[in-house]
Amino acid sequence: MKRVQMFLAGAFIAVGSLYAQTPASEWKAGVAKLKETIQANPAQAAEEAEQMIKGKNKKNIELLVAIGEAYLEAGKIPEAQQYAALAKKANGKSADAAVLEGDIALKQKNAGLASQKYEEAIYFNPRCAAAYLKFADIYKMANSSLAIEKLNQLKALQPSNTGVDKKLAEIYYLKNDFSKAADAYSRFAMGPAATEEDLVKYAFALFLNHDFEKSLEVANMGLQKNPRHAAFNRLAMYNYTDLKRFDEAMKAADIFFNETDKADYSYLDYMYYGHLLEDLKKYDEAVIQYEKAVQLDPSNTNLYKNISAAYERKNDYKKAISAYRKYYSSLDKAKQTPDLQFQFGRLYYGAGTQSDSLTITVEERKQALASADSVFQAIAVAAPDSYLGNFWRARANSALDPETTLGLAKPFYEEVATLLESKNDPRYNAALVECYSYLGYYYLLAIENPALKAEAKANKETSRDYWSKILAIDPANATAKRALDGIK
């Protein structure tokens, strides 16, 4: 009898030992099945979970936490808490149990408690990667510096952990630090652990960091795997455009807008396409794309400047002025500054001096130049220390008096010349040459004016003075040399 008892006791010990050492793969399969049962049949799931933790598995922390996570994923918080408590009871210093408690707190929207539990897990096990990553997730928006600090602590312990680089890349991307984001992506995005989305974000981070060559390289790598991928084709179009490789950009644009899968077009897509078409001097097509962009994002009124510029380049000043007025009127009064008003003057001046006489009548030309003069006058008053207002008033009035018989531009060129001479700065030499050229010519004409015969000698000397001033700036100026040779 004693032998039988000893045999049975040995058998029970062997069975218990086998049960305690059941491979994780077996109970993991049971947990996977449990996840399906929790929703379909909660009572059966509870029974199966209890069976799984019988015997020595009552202290199997990994199993207890896995069951708790299964319940948590199903939204069964009380049951998840029950298994977290069992894991904690089995080992009060279990990092995995603390992580589960943190996950439960996070599910309950208690970020403070969750971060506390993740810190606790790190204290119990300084190499518990999940705790660092989950802690960083909590603070990535509220306190990115703290999140990055925690991730760098893990990086020091586990340099090859791509999960750290992935989370760092995500946080840097969110805070618009694209240089550091690109650096973090570079450490894993080209490897087997990376997803297609990682590759897309890596390419975008490079693009936003203005590393267009590298961004294009990454995008093209993505296109080799998935030629119809919208984001990679989008980036190809963007990068080719910024690299001024316009033929390739047009091919990429054609694929992006006509052949990609699930493309969700944004205002930026149409804006870039507009830039590309404008660079190719397809101004009407560019305007169409800019208008599509505005339709998608009416708040982005800056695009009216692009529309205005496209019309200006095709000498359609009426539409250019109309588009610019939409942009200007969309701004708050405080932002309607003289430098923005200045563009109105330039456009009116362009309309009044355009060479195509079929698109504008003589009267419209005069009205445009008068409007330009009015704008530049307002700028001269608003910014008296700048020469530009009077300088462009001089140009507008010179265009109104093409034969220089009335001298309309004279007072403005004189005022500009006086101001710029006082600055004694070579940067203004070109403007001074223009002033002196007009004034030299004006006084040259005055020499021959019968009504000014009494002042002929004085006018001759004044004209000679201005042409000489030009040669002092530009000794090779042929116009000034001819003028001086012609003055007897």
Side-chain angles (χ1 to χ4, degrees):
M1 183 66 177
K2 191 173 182 180
R3 287 183 179 179
V4 172
Q5 289 174 334
M6 289 176 65
F7 172 78
L8 290 173
F12 280 123
I13 290 169
V15 170
S17 177
L18 279 171
Y19 192 77
Q21 296 174 15
T22 299
S25 59
E26 291 188 18
W27 62 254
K28 283 182 179 178
V31 172
K33 182 181 176 185
L34 182 68
K35 289 180 180 180
E36 300 174 6
T37 313
I38 287 173
Q39 296 287 13
N41 192 334
Q44 182 184 336
E47 187 177 335
E48 289 177 0
E50 288 178 12
Q51 288 296 321
M52 290 172 68
I53 63 168
K54 280 189 174 181
K56 290 191 177 181
N57 272 346
K58 281 186 178 179
K59 294 189 176 183
N60 186 333
I61 305 295
E62 192 178 0
L63 173 57
L64 291 166
V65 168
I67 294 172
E69 287 174 344
Y71 273 112
L72 187 60
E73 285 177 23
K76 308 287 186 181
I77 292 178
E79 291 85 349
Q81 289 173 320
Q82 175 190 341
Y83 281 92
L86 289 172
K88 201 79 172 175
K89 183 178 178 182
N91 182 356
K93 295 183 178 181
S94 167
D96 291 341
V99 168
L100 175 57
E101 288 181 313
D103 292 348
I104 293 168
L106 202 58
K107 193 80 169 181
Q108 294 174 311
K109 303 188 186 308
N110 189 340
L113 178 59
S115 61
Q116 179 185 325
K117 289 298 179 181
Y118 296 141
E119 288 269 38
E120 190 177 291
I122 293 168
Y123 177 76
F124 292 146
N125 177 10
R127 301 182 70 85
C128 181
Y132 289 92
L133 296 172
K134 289 171 185 283
F135 181 94
D137 250 339
I138 291 175
Y139 287 101
K140 66 184 178 184
M141 297 296 289
N143 190 338
S144 60
S145 297
L146 181 59
I148 291 167
E149 179 187 343
K150 192 64 69 177
L151 290 169
N152 282 332
Q153 289 173 10
L154 178 59
K155 183 74 175 172
L157 294 168
Q158 300 177 3
S160 60
N161 188 331
T162 57
V164 183
D165 294 319
K166 193 167 186 173
K167 189 60 63 179
L168 281 169
E170 179 188 346
I171 293 171
Y172 284 128
Y173 195 97
L174 285 171
K175 61 185 298 214
N176 296 331
D177 191 338
F178 300 115
S179 177
K180 289 183 179 177
D183 181 59
Y185 278 119
S186 71
R187 294 195 289 269
F188 75 94
M190 310 293 270
T195 64
E196 192 171 62
E197 184 181 357
D198 291 329
L199 203 61
V200 168
K201 286 188 174 179
Y202 180 31
F204 258 116
L206 289 165
F207 168 75
L208 293 168
N209 198 42
H210 297 166
D211 191 347
F212 305 126
E213 290 283 5
K214 185 64 177 178
S215 176
L216 181 61
E217 178 188 331
V218 176
N220 282 335
M221 182 178 293
L223 288 172
Q224 288 175 7
K225 299 176 182 178
N226 187 350
R228 296 178 63 87
H229 194 285
F232 290 130
N233 279 292
R234 169 185 286 120
L235 279 162
M237 178 181 75
Y238 288 6
N239 283 305
Y240 280 130
T241 299
D242 280 323
L243 290 167
K244 301 191 183 304
R245 293 163 61 175
F246 299 132
D247 290 342
E248 291 160 296
M250 280 299 291
K251 290 176 184 176
D254 182 55
I255 294 171
F256 174 58
F257 285 108
N258 299 304
E259 298 180 22
T260 53
D261 296 324
K262 300 177 182 177
D264 185 12
Y265 302 124
S266 71
Y267 87 93
L268 202 60
D269 298 331
Y270 293 118
M271 186 190 80
Y272 251 89
Y273 194 24
H275 290 340
L276 171 59
L277 291 164
E278 190 176 351
D279 284 329
L280 291 170
K281 300 183 180 180
K282 298 181 178 183
Y283 301 121
D284 289 326
E285 293 176 52
V287 166
I288 290 171
Q289 300 308 317
Y290 288 142
E291 287 175 341
K292 286 180 181 179
V294 175
Q295 287 171 6
L296 281 181
D297 184 5
S299 68
N300 196 345
T301 55
N302 277 343
L303 287 171
Y304 285 118
K305 282 199 298 183
N306 296 100
I307 293 171
S308 176
Y311 280 128
E312 182 183 3
R313 288 189 175 97
K314 68 188 293 274
N315 294 323
D316 191 338
Y317 285 97
K318 287 181 181 178
K319 288 182 179 178
I321 292 166
S322 175
Y324 193 78
R325 185 169 286 112
K326 287 180 181 178
Y327 160 69
Y328 187 80
S329 62
S330 73
L331 301 173
D332 295 334
K333 289 290 183 185
K335 293 182 179 180
Q336 293 177 349
T337 54
D339 59 315
L340 296 184
Q341 292 174 336
F342 182 80
Q343 178 62 4
F344 273 121
R346 282 191 67 257
L347 290 171
Y348 282 123
Y349 178 80
T353 57
Q354 62 181 298
S355 57
D356 187 355
S357 60
L358 297 176
T359 60
I360 185 169
T361 66
V362 173
E363 187 55 36
E364 286 175 330
R365 196 182 295 276
K366 287 181 179 178
Q367 288 175 356
L369 289 169
S371 295
D373 180 57
S374 178
V375 171
F376 295 135
Q377 179 184 20
I379 291 169
V381 171
D385 293 334
S386 170
Y387 77 97
L388 288 173
N390 281 319
F391 186 67
W392 280 85
R393 283 200 80 185
R395 286 181 168 179
N397 280 277
S398 178
L400 282 166
D401 177 25
E403 302 300 323
T404 320
T405 53
L406 302 175
L408 297 181
K410 177 177 175 288
F412 308 114
Y413 274 127
E414 286 175 333
E415 191 166 341
V416 172
T418 300
L419 177 63
L420 295 184
E421 284 170 350
S422 70
K423 292 181 182 292
N424 192 27
D425 189 332
R427 290 179 300 171
Y428 302 118
N429 282 350
L432 275 171
V433 167
E434 182 175 328
C435 294
Y436 296 152
S437 295
Y438 177 90
L439 294 168
Y441 183 68
Y442 170 81
Y443 283 104
L444 189 63
L445 291 179
I447 297 170
E448 306 299 329
N449 189 336
L452 300 173
K453 191 173 181 179
E455 294 89 12
K457 185 177 180 181
N459 289 337
K460 183 184 292 188
E461 290 305 315
T462 304
S463 180
R464 184 181 285 116
D465 266 354
Y466 281 121
W467 296 118
S468 297
K469 284 182 177 183
I470 292 174
L471 290 178
I473 293 172
D474 178 15
N477 191 291
T479 303
K481 286 181 177 180
R482 282 196 304 270
L484 284 171
D485 288 344
I487 298 175
K488 302 297 185 182

